[in-house]
Amino acid sequence: MNSSELINPAMPWTRGDSVWRSIGEDIACVFERDPAARTRLEIITTYPGVHAIMLYRIAHRLWRRGWRYLPRLISYVGRIWTGVDIHPGATIGRRFFIDHGAGVVIGETAEVGDDVTLYHGVTLGGVSWSRGKRHPTLGDQVVVGAGAKILGPIHIGRQARVGANSVVIASVPEGRTVVGIPGKVVGPKRVAPSRGIDLDHHIIPDPVADAVNCLLERIGRLERQVGMHDALLADARPAQGCDECDANQVCETAGEGKRR
């Protein structure tokens, strides 16, 4: 085993891979995840997310060699140029893509696996003043929707999906979807696609709507048990619904009951 393999055995992308090879893979992966991409020239010259990761790759290599000020300066230039703030100390895997590249923040101790996709406005942030691990770890093939915030030294499992504008403060199991504020794991475990990267992060359940629907169903059952529906069917109340409630859209009126 040579010295370069001792950097971090758990992170294969830190084992001395060529910066230019990594940048080439970052450019090539755009074709798989953005149907608007047409040519390599277009990607290299007009994609701020690609510009940000190119500068990060250079700054990170310098950071690993013990430089501090110059990598931070490169990162600062990248922030001004692209609107993406990636600390050079962060560890980012291969084929990383930031779609639209605006308002993304990645902290110093963040770790990102291979084939990860972030949309605009994503934050991989810390919640501690400690100098140790304080930013999240994202597994391979994770997709994070626009505006999502992932905070603290938590782990987002492989192939997980984070819904847009979610605030995630707890670890997410592999292949699951998390939505909401604070983020809640919802739905069954996802099945990995047969090929390519699954970008269907918009297909997510609505836990609030599910809870409301469950409550309405339970209320309906309770009303049937106490005979309220029988009273409505017997015209004991006005046909237009309840006397003191205007929530007619979610209640069964006498007229609807008769039609059944």
Side-chain angles (χ1 to χ4, degrees), residues 54-66:
M54 290 170 66
L55 292 173
Y56 158 79
R57 298 290 186 198
I58 297 170
H60 181 64
R61 182 55 59 92
L62 294 173
W63 185 271
R64 283 173 46 196
R65 293 182 177 179

Side-chain angles (χ1 to χ4, degrees), residues 14-249:
T14 63
R15 297 180 185 174
D17 289 339
S18 166
V19 171
W20 303 114
R21 176 184 175 185
S22 297
I23 291 175
E25 290 180 339
D26 294 327
I27 294 171
C29 79
V30 176
F31 290 106
E32 300 175 2
R33 304 181 217 173
D34 185 2
R38 294 175 178 83
T39 66
R40 292 178 67 88
L41 177 63
E42 179 185 32
I43 293 171
I44 293 171
T45 56
T46 67
Y47 275 61
V50 172
H51 300 158
I53 194 62
M54 290 170 66
L55 292 173
Y56 158 79
R57 298 290 186 198
I58 297 170
H60 181 64
R61 182 55 59 92
L62 294 173
W63 185 271
R64 283 173 46 196
R65 293 182 177 179
W67 295 66
R68 289 298 179 262
Y69 177 74
L70 183 57
R72 291 302 302 270
L73 181 61
I74 294 173
S75 175
Y76 176 68
V77 171
R79 178 179 180 177
I80 295 174
W81 181 10
T82 67
V84 176
D85 186 353
I86 307 177
H87 193 287
T91 304
I92 298 178
R94 301 165 69 174
R95 298 175 296 277
F96 180 60
F97 180 46
I98 303 175
D99 199 0
H100 293 287
V104 171
V105 177
I106 301 177
E108 177 184 9
T109 63
E111 299 175 65
V112 179
D114 296 338
D115 301 302
V116 170
T117 302
L118 307 184
Y119 287 84
H120 54 281
V122 169
T123 298
L124 306 183
V127 293
S128 170
W129 293 105
S130 170
R131 291 184 178 273
K133 173 69 171 172
R134 58 190 187 278
H135 297 94
T137 296
L138 275 60
D140 297 343
Q141 298 182 0
V142 168
V143 175
V144 184
K149 317 300 178 188
I150 305 176
L151 306 176
I154 61 177
H155 185 270
I156 308 300
R158 184 175 183 272
Q159 295 180 347
R161 298 291 180 270
V162 179
N165 292 319
S166 298
V167 178
V168 185
I169 56 176
S171 295
V172 179
E174 177 179 328
R176 302 298 292 274
T177 298
V178 59
V179 297
I181 303 175
K184 297 290 191 301
V185 176
V186 295
K189 183 176 179 180
R190 301 173 62 89
V191 178
S194 58
R195 60 181 298 277
I197 305 297
D198 182 4
L199 296 180
D200 290 336
H201 62 291
H202 65 289
I203 304 176
I204 55 178
D206 186 343
V208 176
D210 291 343
V212 171
N213 290 333
C214 180
L215 288 173
L216 291 174
E217 181 179 352
R218 291 175 65 87
I219 291 171
R221 290 180 180 178
L222 290 172
E223 288 179 341
R224 284 191 289 272
Q225 289 178 7
V226 300
M228 181 178 291
H229 278 61
D230 292 337
L232 288 177
L233 293 176
D235 291 330
R237 293 192 180 184
Q240 60 267 29
C242 304
D243 293 327
E244 299 179 357
C245 177
D246 60 0
N248 294 325
Q249 293 181 351

